[in-house]
Amino acid sequence: DGSTLTDSGYPRVVKSWKRGTPVEEAVTVFEGEKTDIAAHMYAFHDRGFVHEFQLRSITFYTSKYFYRSLTPEGISGTTADEETTPFKEVPIPEDAELDVFADMAMITLRSDYEPSEGIAFKAGSLVTL
């Protein structure tokens, strides 16, 4: 019926499904907007740190990122719908790109960014936090 797709035809609903159970029992854990390009959710290990992201691709050049840090035990011991650690929106410009290296966030800026008064970064900068 297309209800789980964006207007662009990409997925906008992310569900948590346990192997061996009916797919109809999968639980919705994240939804993008119908007008977004797509919605994504992913987790990975990097140098001893576990990162989990939810991502709304609003356009091909803008996104909203949501993040939570997990432990290796936490990610292997629970499913996305059972995890209690909340996601927090990453406060960066929508046209920025976000990556991580170990426990550092790396932000590539497409536009100028002033995260707080007196601290400013120019478009094209790579900012690490």
Side-chain angles (χ1 to χ4, degrees):
D1 72 352
S3 64
T4 62
L5 302 177
T6 65
D7 292 340
S8 298
Y10 295 100
R12 70 170 192 86
V13 176
V14 178
K15 295 189 175 203
S16 179
W17 171 73
K18 291 181 186 175
R19 188 175 295 153
T21 63
V23 73
E24 297 79 24
E25 293 179 11
V27 178
T28 299
V29 293
F30 181 63
E31 287 188 50
E33 301 293 327
K34 189 100 169 115
T35 55
D36 291 347
I37 298 296
H40 318 271
M41 186 169 167
Y42 54 95
F44 59 93
H45 296 254
D46 184 19
R47 294 161 186 79
F49 297 90
V50 180
H51 307 283
E52 189 170 21
F53 287 94
Q54 293 174 332
L55 172 65
R56 283 183 52 216
S57 297
I58 299 167
T59 69
F60 283 106
Y61 300 103
T62 60
S63 299
K64 280 190 183 274
Y65 293 89
F66 303 87
Y67 174 80
R68 68 179 172 194
S69 178
L70 300 174
T71 64
E73 299 78 29
I75 198 167
S76 65
T78 189
T79 56
D81 62 307
E82 295 170 343
E83 176 57 53
T84 59
T85 304
F87 280 90
K88 295 181 182 172
E89 186 172 347
V90 180
I92 60 174
E94 288 183 357
D95 65 347
E97 293 183 13
L98 177 65
D99 204 349
V100 295
F101 181 85
D103 63 343
M104 294 182 298
M106 299 184 304
I107 304 160
T108 304
L109 299 175
R110 288 191 178 112
S111 59
D112 294 347
Y113 176 46
E114 189 173 343
S116 58
E117 192 169 325
I119 299 174
F121 302 97
K122 293 287 186 190
S125 297
L126 174 62
V127 180
T128 59
L129 306 171

